[in-house]
Amino acid sequence: MTTTDESVSLWQPDVLGHGYECMDLPLKADEEGPVKATLVRHAPPVVHPSPHGVLDFLTSFTKRKRRPAPADPGGAPRVVLYLHGWADYFLQTELAEYLTASGFHFYALDLRKFGRSLLPGQTPGYTSDLGVYDEDLAAAIREVERDVAARTSNATPPTIHMLAHSLGGLIAALWADRNPGRVGTLVLNSPWLELQGSSLVRSIAMHLVEPFARTDPKRPFRFPEMPAYWESVSNEAHGEWILDPTWRPRASFPIRAGWTKAVLAGHAAVERKLNIDAPVLVLLSGRTRIQAEWTADLMRADAVIDVEETSRRALGLARRTAVFRYPGALHDVFLSRRTVRQQAYRDVAVWLAAYPY
């Protein structure tokens, strides 16, 4: 669909190729200089569906023969806004295309200093306060609302469903708690809600980190490299996915004192329990296996978070919370082997359809 809105020129072709466009969202500068976030949209060509509509597409999804336009069910347009994890960026095109075919307008946000938003001279992924991302999310939601109105000629504010992964899941949960009424539902894909181990380990870590966070917040800690999860995902090793080496490096980003303190503070807030007013769905692997060296067993487990502890923490996020477990899933359920991720796509689409407004 074309629009005469003057901001249409701000959308540019995205690195993901045909059907994907991106837009820079300028943010307030910080001590490192200019800052931006980047909004990505899936905007496939409009195709008139057959009488069976979306059902035909979902049945033939793996063949990718056509992409019908989103259908708004007589009221508010339905939007999915995706948020990535640590040392990460949006690349899950299969997820975007499935949800678009299921009737949703799909957008993704690369937060400041991650992925498409990482500028020269910036410290990758760094912040000393997870609340700073409120500005990124506010800018993204404003643009999503404007863009959906222009694309649909529907002035009704869209229902936004936020779908967030890992660190993004922690950021999204804390944001939703502070901003009641802003999302229709919150879907958390392996959210990082607690430090690996327990709250006791987190308490000890906070005491160790605090002096450095106060005096030298960008000080990097030296930890052994843990590339095994990257090897399970990257098509350069044992996975299926093409990963940008700058945006998602093999050894992740350096872990810094100020950032660590911010994350631990987020975990502490989750432990105290949140009060998210939207229904929350949490997707988790069936088990955890964290190790430095890659083995074939890592293709069927979460190599990043403690899924059992996360499951317990998830129940304190909101009054309406569901936890879905996927035996054989990776840390990013949507990057797991095909049978696992397609089950997750179906589950998420059904969940979102239950909360259309």
mmCIF file of all heavy atoms in Angstrom, residues 6-51:
data_model
loop_
_atom_site.group_PDB
_atom_site.id
_atom_site.type_symbol
_atom_site.label_atom_id
_atom_site.label_comp_id
_atom_site.label_asym_id
_atom_site.label_seq_id
_atom_site.Cartn_x
_atom_site.Cartn_y
_atom_site.Cartn_z
ATOM 1 N N GLU A 6 4.518 12.265 4.390
ATOM 2 C CA GLU A 6 5.860 12.729 4.062
ATOM 3 C C GLU A 6 6.952 11.881 4.696
ATOM 4 O O GLU A 6 8.081 11.851 4.211
ATOM 5 C CB GLU A 6 6.021 14.184 4.491
ATOM 6 C CG GLU A 6 5.894 14.401 5.994
ATOM 7 C CD GLU A 6 6.022 15.856 6.392
ATOM 8 O OE1 GLU A 6 6.098 16.701 5.492
ATOM 9 O OE2 GLU A 6 6.057 16.139 7.596
ATOM 10 N N SER A 7 6.628 11.143 5.793
ATOM 11 C CA SER A 7 7.659 10.359 6.475
ATOM 12 C C SER A 7 7.944 9.041 5.788
ATOM 13 O O SER A 7 8.840 8.318 6.198
ATOM 14 C CB SER A 7 7.242 10.092 7.928
ATOM 15 O OG SER A 7 6.137 9.225 7.981
ATOM 16 N N VAL A 8 7.167 8.738 4.703
ATOM 17 C CA VAL A 8 7.393 7.450 4.046
ATOM 18 C C VAL A 8 8.818 7.342 3.536
ATOM 19 O O VAL A 8 9.382 6.264 3.455
ATOM 20 C CB VAL A 8 6.364 7.251 2.904
ATOM 21 C CG1 VAL A 8 6.651 8.197 1.738
ATOM 22 C CG2 VAL A 8 6.368 5.806 2.411
ATOM 23 N N SER A 9 9.430 8.467 3.158
ATOM 24 C CA SER A 9 10.784 8.447 2.623
ATOM 25 C C SER A 9 11.806 8.038 3.675
ATOM 26 O O SER A 9 12.936 7.703 3.338
ATOM 27 C CB SER A 9 11.151 9.825 2.057
ATOM 28 O OG SER A 9 11.117 10.803 3.084
ATOM 29 N N LEU A 10 11.421 8.072 4.970
ATOM 30 C CA LEU A 10 12.358 7.698 6.015
ATOM 31 C C LEU A 10 12.570 6.190 6.079
ATOM 32 O O LEU A 10 13.536 5.732 6.667
ATOM 33 C CB LEU A 10 11.860 8.216 7.367
ATOM 34 C CG LEU A 10 11.732 9.741 7.493
ATOM 35 C CD1 LEU A 10 11.168 10.112 8.848
ATOM 36 C CD2 LEU A 10 13.084 10.416 7.265
ATOM 37 N N TRP A 11 11.669 5.428 5.496
ATOM 38 C CA TRP A 11 11.853 3.981 5.429
ATOM 39 C C TRP A 11 12.830 3.650 4.308
ATOM 40 O O TRP A 11 12.695 4.129 3.190
ATOM 41 C CB TRP A 11 10.519 3.285 5.172
ATOM 42 C CG TRP A 11 9.584 3.325 6.346
ATOM 43 C CD1 TRP A 11 8.519 4.156 6.506
ATOM 44 C CD2 TRP A 11 9.646 2.505 7.512
ATOM 45 N NE1 TRP A 11 7.904 3.905 7.708
ATOM 46 C CE2 TRP A 11 8.571 2.894 8.348
ATOM 47 C CE3 TRP A 11 10.492 1.481 7.932
ATOM 48 C CZ2 TRP A 11 8.328 2.293 9.585
ATOM 49 C CZ3 TRP A 11 10.249 0.885 9.163
ATOM 50 C CH2 TRP A 11 9.186 1.279 9.972
ATOM 51 N N GLN A 12 13.814 2.822 4.650
ATOM 52 C CA GLN A 12 14.853 2.446 3.704
ATOM 53 C C GLN A 12 14.925 0.925 3.595
ATOM 54 O O GLN A 12 14.507 0.214 4.522
ATOM 55 C CB GLN A 12 16.218 2.992 4.172
ATOM 56 C CG GLN A 12 16.275 4.495 4.322
ATOM 57 C CD GLN A 12 16.097 5.230 3.008
ATOM 58 O OE1 GLN A 12 16.518 4.742 1.957
ATOM 59 N NE2 GLN A 12 15.452 6.401 3.059
ATOM 60 N N PRO A 13 15.434 0.397 2.485
ATOM 61 C CA PRO A 13 15.601 -1.063 2.378
ATOM 62 C C PRO A 13 16.459 -1.591 3.521
ATOM 63 O O PRO A 13 17.457 -0.983 3.896
ATOM 64 C CB PRO A 13 16.289 -1.247 1.028
ATOM 65 C CG PRO A 13 15.915 -0.025 0.250
ATOM 66 C CD PRO A 13 15.846 1.088 1.253
ATOM 67 N N ASP A 14 16.054 -2.711 4.085
ATOM 68 C CA ASP A 14 16.775 -3.295 5.217
ATOM 69 C C ASP A 14 17.729 -4.376 4.735
ATOM 70 O O ASP A 14 17.578 -4.937 3.641
ATOM 71 C CB ASP A 14 15.781 -3.883 6.225
ATOM 72 C CG ASP A 14 16.464 -4.360 7.493
ATOM 73 O OD1 ASP A 14 17.027 -3.505 8.208
ATOM 74 O OD2 ASP A 14 16.468 -5.572 7.756
ATOM 75 N N VAL A 15 18.699 -4.703 5.582
ATOM 76 C CA VAL A 15 19.684 -5.738 5.237
ATOM 77 C C VAL A 15 19.045 -7.106 5.049
ATOM 78 O O VAL A 15 19.634 -7.989 4.412
ATOM 79 C CB VAL A 15 20.790 -5.833 6.319
ATOM 80 C CG1 VAL A 15 21.591 -4.550 6.383
ATOM 81 C CG2 VAL A 15 20.195 -6.169 7.677
ATOM 82 N N LEU A 16 17.837 -7.314 5.582
ATOM 83 C CA LEU A 16 17.176 -8.608 5.438
ATOM 84 C C LEU A 16 16.604 -8.825 4.048
ATOM 85 O O LEU A 16 16.191 -9.932 3.717
ATOM 86 C CB LEU A 16 16.064 -8.752 6.488
ATOM 87 C CG LEU A 16 16.551 -8.824 7.929
ATOM 88 C CD1 LEU A 16 15.367 -8.871 8.887
ATOM 89 C CD2 LEU A 16 17.464 -10.026 8.157
ATOM 90 N N GLY A 17 16.567 -7.770 3.241
ATOM 91 C CA GLY A 17 16.180 -7.942 1.848
ATOM 92 C C GLY A 17 14.715 -7.694 1.573
ATOM 93 O O GLY A 17 14.027 -6.968 2.306
ATOM 94 N N HIS A 18 14.216 -8.310 0.521
ATOM 95 C CA HIS A 18 12.882 -8.054 -0.016
ATOM 96 C C HIS A 18 11.808 -8.199 1.057
ATOM 97 O O HIS A 18 11.753 -9.209 1.767
ATOM 98 C CB HIS A 18 12.594 -9.037 -1.158
ATOM 99 C CG HIS A 18 11.288 -8.792 -1.830
ATOM 100 N ND1 HIS A 18 11.033 -7.667 -2.577
ATOM 101 C CD2 HIS A 18 10.152 -9.537 -1.862
ATOM 102 C CE1 HIS A 18 9.798 -7.735 -3.045
ATOM 103 N NE2 HIS A 18 9.243 -8.856 -2.631
ATOM 104 N N GLY A 19 10.970 -7.172 1.160
ATOM 105 C CA GLY A 19 9.877 -7.209 2.120
ATOM 106 C C GLY A 19 10.211 -6.618 3.477
ATOM 107 O O GLY A 19 9.332 -6.570 4.355
ATOM 108 N N TYR A 20 11.447 -6.155 3.661
ATOM 109 C CA TYR A 20 11.858 -5.599 4.954
ATOM 110 C C TYR A 20 12.420 -4.197 4.749
ATOM 111 O O TYR A 20 13.232 -3.962 3.842
ATOM 112 C CB TYR A 20 12.900 -6.486 5.638
ATOM 113 C CG TYR A 20 12.316 -7.808 6.063
ATOM 114 C CD1 TYR A 20 12.330 -8.896 5.200
ATOM 115 C CD2 TYR A 20 11.712 -7.962 7.301
ATOM 116 C CE1 TYR A 20 11.756 -10.112 5.559
ATOM 117 C CE2 TYR A 20 11.140 -9.166 7.681
ATOM 118 C CZ TYR A 20 11.165 -10.236 6.804
ATOM 119 O OH TYR A 20 10.588 -11.429 7.163
ATOM 120 N N GLU A 21 11.976 -3.279 5.597
ATOM 121 C CA GLU A 21 12.443 -1.907 5.558
ATOM 122 C C GLU A 21 12.776 -1.457 6.974
ATOM 123 O O GLU A 21 12.261 -2.013 7.952
ATOM 124 C CB GLU A 21 11.363 -0.996 4.961
ATOM 125 C CG GLU A 21 11.016 -1.338 3.528
ATOM 126 C CD GLU A 21 9.811 -0.574 3.016
ATOM 127 O OE1 GLU A 21 8.862 -0.361 3.800
ATOM 128 O OE2 GLU A 21 9.830 -0.192 1.834
ATOM 129 N N CYS A 22 13.637 -0.453 7.078
ATOM 130 C CA CYS A 22 14.027 0.037 8.401
ATOM 131 C C CYS A 22 14.003 1.558 8.439
ATOM 132 O O CYS A 22 14.061 2.227 7.401
ATOM 133 C CB CYS A 22 15.415 -0.486 8.791
ATOM 134 S SG CYS A 22 16.757 0.073 7.724
ATOM 135 N N MET A 23 13.907 2.073 9.643
ATOM 136 C CA MET A 23 13.860 3.513 9.870
ATOM 137 C C MET A 23 14.664 3.863 11.112
ATOM 138 O O MET A 23 14.509 3.226 12.159
ATOM 139 C CB MET A 23 12.403 3.975 10.060
ATOM 140 C CG MET A 23 12.264 5.438 10.476
ATOM 141 S SD MET A 23 10.556 5.889 10.909
ATOM 142 C CE MET A 23 9.841 5.970 9.273
ATOM 143 N N ASP A 24 15.532 4.875 11.013
ATOM 144 C CA ASP A 24 16.258 5.368 12.176
ATOM 145 C C ASP A 24 15.328 6.196 13.057
ATOM 146 O O ASP A 24 14.542 7.014 12.558
ATOM 147 C CB ASP A 24 17.438 6.244 11.752
ATOM 148 C CG ASP A 24 18.574 5.450 11.142
ATOM 149 O OD1 ASP A 24 18.546 4.209 11.224
ATOM 150 O OD2 ASP A 24 19.484 6.072 10.563
ATOM 151 N N LEU A 25 15.433 5.977 14.361
ATOM 152 C CA LEU A 25 14.673 6.748 15.344
ATOM 153 C C LEU A 25 15.672 7.534 16.183
ATOM 154 O O LEU A 25 16.307 6.983 17.093
ATOM 155 C CB LEU A 25 13.852 5.822 16.239
ATOM 156 C CG LEU A 25 12.866 4.889 15.540
ATOM 157 C CD1 LEU A 25 12.208 3.957 16.562
ATOM 158 C CD2 LEU A 25 11.808 5.674 14.770
ATOM 159 N N PRO A 26 15.885 8.824 15.905
ATOM 160 C CA PRO A 26 16.853 9.616 16.674
ATOM 161 C C PRO A 26 16.445 9.721 18.137
ATOM 162 O O PRO A 26 15.266 9.922 18.460
ATOM 163 C CB PRO A 26 16.816 10.993 15.994
ATOM 164 C CG PRO A 26 16.218 10.740 14.638
ATOM 165 C CD PRO A 26 15.261 9.605 14.827
ATOM 166 N N LEU A 27 17.427 9.582 19.015
ATOM 167 C CA LEU A 27 17.207 9.657 20.453
ATOM 168 C C LEU A 27 18.110 10.740 21.041
ATOM 169 O O LEU A 27 18.994 11.266 20.348
ATOM 170 C CB LEU A 27 17.499 8.304 21.103
ATOM 171 C CG LEU A 27 16.737 7.102 20.536
ATOM 172 C CD1 LEU A 27 17.249 5.807 21.147
ATOM 173 C CD2 LEU A 27 15.230 7.251 20.761
ATOM 174 N N LYS A 28 17.920 11.034 22.305
ATOM 175 C CA LYS A 28 18.767 12.025 22.961
ATOM 176 C C LYS A 28 20.208 11.528 23.004
ATOM 177 O O LYS A 28 20.469 10.361 23.304
ATOM 178 C CB LYS A 28 18.275 12.289 24.378
ATOM 179 C CG LYS A 28 16.899 12.930 24.454
ATOM 180 C CD LYS A 28 16.449 13.103 25.896
ATOM 181 C CE LYS A 28 15.039 13.681 25.970
ATOM 182 N NZ LYS A 28 14.545 13.764 27.368
ATOM 183 N N ALA A 29 21.137 12.422 22.725
ATOM 184 C CA ALA A 29 22.554 12.067 22.781
ATOM 185 C C ALA A 29 22.958 11.738 24.219
ATOM 186 O O ALA A 29 22.343 12.205 25.187
ATOM 187 C CB ALA A 29 23.405 13.205 22.234
ATOM 188 N N ASP A 30 23.996 10.914 24.355
ATOM 189 C CA ASP A 30 24.545 10.627 25.678
ATOM 190 C C ASP A 30 26.023 10.978 25.700
ATOM 191 O O ASP A 30 26.511 11.689 24.812
ATOM 192 C CB ASP A 30 24.282 9.169 26.085
ATOM 193 C CG ASP A 30 25.021 8.164 25.206
ATOM 194 O OD1 ASP A 30 25.898 8.561 24.392
ATOM 195 O OD2 ASP A 30 24.740 6.954 25.324
ATOM 196 N N GLU A 31 26.755 10.497 26.699
ATOM 197 C CA GLU A 31 28.156 10.884 26.849
ATOM 198 C C GLU A 31 29.039 10.391 25.713
ATOM 199 O O GLU A 31 30.160 10.883 25.533
ATOM 200 C CB GLU A 31 28.704 10.368 28.194
ATOM 201 C CG GLU A 31 28.949 8.865 28.266
ATOM 202 C CD GLU A 31 27.705 8.056 28.490
ATOM 203 O OE1 GLU A 31 26.620 8.661 28.627
ATOM 204 O OE2 GLU A 31 27.801 6.810 28.526
ATOM 205 N N GLU A 32 28.536 9.452 24.905
ATOM 206 C CA GLU A 32 29.304 8.953 23.764
ATOM 207 C C GLU A 32 28.913 9.628 22.457
ATOM 208 O O GLU A 32 29.484 9.331 21.417
ATOM 209 C CB GLU A 32 29.133 7.438 23.641
ATOM 210 C CG GLU A 32 29.741 6.674 24.807
ATOM 211 C CD GLU A 32 29.668 5.160 24.636
ATOM 212 O OE1 GLU A 32 28.726 4.675 23.960
ATOM 213 O OE2 GLU A 32 30.550 4.465 25.166
ATOM 214 N N GLY A 33 27.924 10.541 22.505
ATOM 215 C CA GLY A 33 27.535 11.255 21.298
ATOM 216 C C GLY A 33 26.134 10.911 20.833
ATOM 217 O O GLY A 33 25.272 10.527 21.635
ATOM 218 N N PRO A 34 25.865 11.044 19.522
ATOM 219 C CA PRO A 34 24.534 10.774 18.971
ATOM 220 C C PRO A 34 24.088 9.339 19.253
ATOM 221 O O PRO A 34 24.903 8.414 19.301
ATOM 222 C CB PRO A 34 24.711 11.012 17.472
ATOM 223 C CG PRO A 34 25.892 11.927 17.370
ATOM 224 C CD PRO A 34 26.804 11.534 18.494
ATOM 225 N N VAL A 35 22.781 9.168 19.434
ATOM 226 C CA VAL A 35 22.198 7.868 19.749
ATOM 227 C C VAL A 35 20.961 7.673 18.884
ATOM 228 O O VAL A 35 20.212 8.627 18.633
ATOM 229 C CB VAL A 35 21.802 7.773 21.241
ATOM 230 C CG1 VAL A 35 21.151 6.425 21.546
ATOM 231 C CG2 VAL A 35 23.017 7.990 22.137
ATOM 232 N N LYS A 36 20.757 6.460 18.431
ATOM 233 C CA LYS A 36 19.539 6.142 17.691
ATOM 234 C C LYS A 36 19.075 4.732 18.034
ATOM 235 O O LYS A 36 19.844 3.897 18.529
ATOM 236 C CB LYS A 36 19.767 6.241 16.181
ATOM 237 C CG LYS A 36 20.669 5.131 15.624
ATOM 238 C CD LYS A 36 20.666 5.112 14.107
ATOM 239 C CE LYS A 36 21.488 3.930 13.566
ATOM 240 N NZ LYS A 36 21.404 3.797 12.105
ATOM 241 N N ALA A 37 17.800 4.479 17.796
ATOM 242 C CA ALA A 37 17.257 3.132 17.731
ATOM 243 C C ALA A 37 16.838 2.908 16.283
ATOM 244 O O ALA A 37 16.780 3.860 15.490
ATOM 245 C CB ALA A 37 16.077 2.973 18.675
ATOM 246 N N THR A 38 16.556 1.662 15.915
ATOM 247 C CA THR A 38 16.176 1.365 14.537
ATOM 248 C C THR A 38 14.931 0.491 14.534
ATOM 249 O O THR A 38 14.910 -0.572 15.151
ATOM 250 C CB THR A 38 17.298 0.630 13.789
ATOM 251 O OG1 THR A 38 18.525 1.362 13.928
ATOM 252 C CG2 THR A 38 16.968 0.497 12.307
ATOM 253 N N LEU A 39 13.907 0.971 13.831
ATOM 254 C CA LEU A 39 12.666 0.217 13.685
ATOM 255 C C LEU A 39 12.686 -0.514 12.350
ATOM 256 O O LEU A 39 13.007 0.074 11.316
ATOM 257 C CB LEU A 39 11.471 1.167 13.749
ATOM 258 C CG LEU A 39 10.083 0.529 13.805
ATOM 259 C CD1 LEU A 39 9.899 -0.262 15.099
ATOM 260 C CD2 LEU A 39 9.001 1.607 13.675
ATOM 261 N N VAL A 40 12.357 -1.784 12.384
ATOM 262 C CA VAL A 40 12.282 -2.610 11.174
ATOM 263 C C VAL A 40 10.827 -3.016 10.990
ATOM 264 O O VAL A 40 10.135 -3.351 11.958
ATOM 265 C CB VAL A 40 13.160 -3.872 11.306
ATOM 266 C CG1 VAL A 40 13.081 -4.727 10.039
ATOM 267 C CG2 VAL A 40 14.607 -3.485 11.599
ATOM 268 N N ARG A 41 10.355 -2.983 9.758
ATOM 269 C CA ARG A 41 8.999 -3.474 9.490
ATOM 270 C C ARG A 41 9.031 -4.528 8.390
ATOM 271 O O ARG A 41 9.869 -4.477 7.482
ATOM 272 C CB ARG A 41 8.057 -2.340 9.097
ATOM 273 C CG ARG A 41 8.293 -1.734 7.712
ATOM 274 C CD ARG A 41 7.288 -0.629 7.402
ATOM 275 N NE ARG A 41 7.532 -0.039 6.085
ATOM 276 C CZ ARG A 41 6.861 0.997 5.593
ATOM 277 N NH1 ARG A 41 5.918 1.577 6.327
ATOM 278 N NH2 ARG A 41 7.133 1.471 4.381
ATOM 279 N N HIS A 42 8.139 -5.494 8.526
ATOM 280 C CA HIS A 42 7.923 -6.464 7.452
ATOM 281 C C HIS A 42 6.767 -5.949 6.625
ATOM 282 O O HIS A 42 5.637 -5.861 7.114
ATOM 283 C CB HIS A 42 7.600 -7.841 8.020
ATOM 284 C CG HIS A 42 7.388 -8.877 6.957
ATOM 285 N ND1 HIS A 42 6.320 -9.740 6.966
ATOM 286 C CD2 HIS A 42 8.100 -9.160 5.839
ATOM 287 C CE1 HIS A 42 6.392 -10.537 5.908
ATOM 288 N NE2 HIS A 42 7.454 -10.195 5.210
ATOM 289 N N ALA A 43 7.050 -5.561 5.403
ATOM 290 C CA ALA A 43 6.044 -4.946 4.539
ATOM 291 C C ALA A 43 6.015 -5.682 3.206
ATOM 292 O O ALA A 43 6.485 -5.172 2.182
ATOM 293 C CB ALA A 43 6.361 -3.469 4.332
ATOM 294 N N PRO A 44 5.472 -6.907 3.181
ATOM 295 C CA PRO A 44 5.441 -7.672 1.938
ATOM 296 C C PRO A 44 4.468 -7.058 0.948
ATOM 297 O O PRO A 44 3.539 -6.341 1.340
ATOM 298 C CB PRO A 44 4.961 -9.054 2.388
ATOM 299 C CG PRO A 44 4.131 -8.775 3.590
ATOM 300 C CD PRO A 44 4.811 -7.613 4.282
ATOM 301 N N PRO A 45 4.642 -7.322 -0.340
ATOM 302 C CA PRO A 45 3.676 -6.830 -1.329
ATOM 303 C C PRO A 45 2.281 -7.355 -1.016
ATOM 304 O O PRO A 45 2.121 -8.473 -0.539
ATOM 305 C CB PRO A 45 4.200 -7.403 -2.651
ATOM 306 C CG PRO A 45 5.631 -7.737 -2.397
ATOM 307 C CD PRO A 45 5.719 -8.091 -0.956
ATOM 308 N N VAL A 46 1.279 -6.530 -1.274
ATOM 309 C CA VAL A 46 -0.098 -6.956 -1.042
ATOM 310 C C VAL A 46 -0.478 -8.000 -2.079
ATOM 311 O O VAL A 46 -0.325 -7.803 -3.286
ATOM 312 C CB VAL A 46 -1.060 -5.761 -1.124
ATOM 313 C CG1 VAL A 46 -2.509 -6.233 -1.022
ATOM 314 C CG2 VAL A 46 -0.739 -4.768 -0.016
ATOM 315 N N VAL A 47 -0.978 -9.151 -1.610
ATOM 316 C CA VAL A 47 -1.456 -10.227 -2.479
ATOM 317 C C VAL A 47 -2.858 -10.580 -2.037
ATOM 318 O O VAL A 47 -3.114 -10.784 -0.847
ATOM 319 C CB VAL A 47 -0.541 -11.470 -2.394
ATOM 320 C CG1 VAL A 47 -1.105 -12.598 -3.240
ATOM 321 C CG2 VAL A 47 0.875 -11.117 -2.811
ATOM 322 N N HIS A 48 -3.789 -10.630 -2.966
ATOM 323 C CA HIS A 48 -5.161 -10.989 -2.607
ATOM 324 C C HIS A 48 -5.234 -12.478 -2.344
ATOM 325 O O HIS A 48 -4.965 -13.286 -3.237
ATOM 326 C CB HIS A 48 -6.121 -10.584 -3.722
ATOM 327 C CG HIS A 48 -6.172 -9.108 -3.927
ATOM 328 N ND1 HIS A 48 -6.732 -8.243 -3.013
ATOM 329 C CD2 HIS A 48 -5.688 -8.334 -4.937
ATOM 330 C CE1 HIS A 48 -6.627 -7.001 -3.457
ATOM 331 N NE2 HIS A 48 -5.991 -7.025 -4.612
ATOM 332 N N PRO A 49 -5.606 -12.880 -1.136
ATOM 333 C CA PRO A 49 -5.619 -14.297 -0.793
ATOM 334 C C PRO A 49 -6.781 -15.040 -1.430
ATOM 335 O O PRO A 49 -7.763 -14.449 -1.861
ATOM 336 C CB PRO A 49 -5.756 -14.289 0.734
ATOM 337 C CG PRO A 49 -6.439 -12.993 1.033
ATOM 338 C CD PRO A 49 -5.963 -12.018 -0.005
ATOM 339 N N SER A 50 -6.659 -16.350 -1.480
ATOM 340 C CA SER A 50 -7.729 -17.208 -1.968
ATOM 341 C C SER A 50 -8.856 -17.229 -0.950
ATOM 342 O O SER A 50 -8.718 -16.706 0.154
ATOM 343 C CB SER A 50 -7.194 -18.622 -2.160
ATOM 344 O OG SER A 50 -6.999 -19.231 -0.899
ATOM 345 N N PRO A 51 -10.012 -17.829 -1.275
ATOM 346 C CA PRO A 51 -11.107 -17.876 -0.300
ATOM 347 C C PRO A 51 -10.710 -18.490 1.030
ATOM 348 O O PRO A 51 -11.318 -18.199 2.056
ATOM 349 C CB PRO A 51 -12.164 -18.721 -1.017
ATOM 350 C CG PRO A 51 -11.896 -18.490 -2.472
ATOM 351 C CD PRO A 51 -10.403 -18.375 -2.570
#
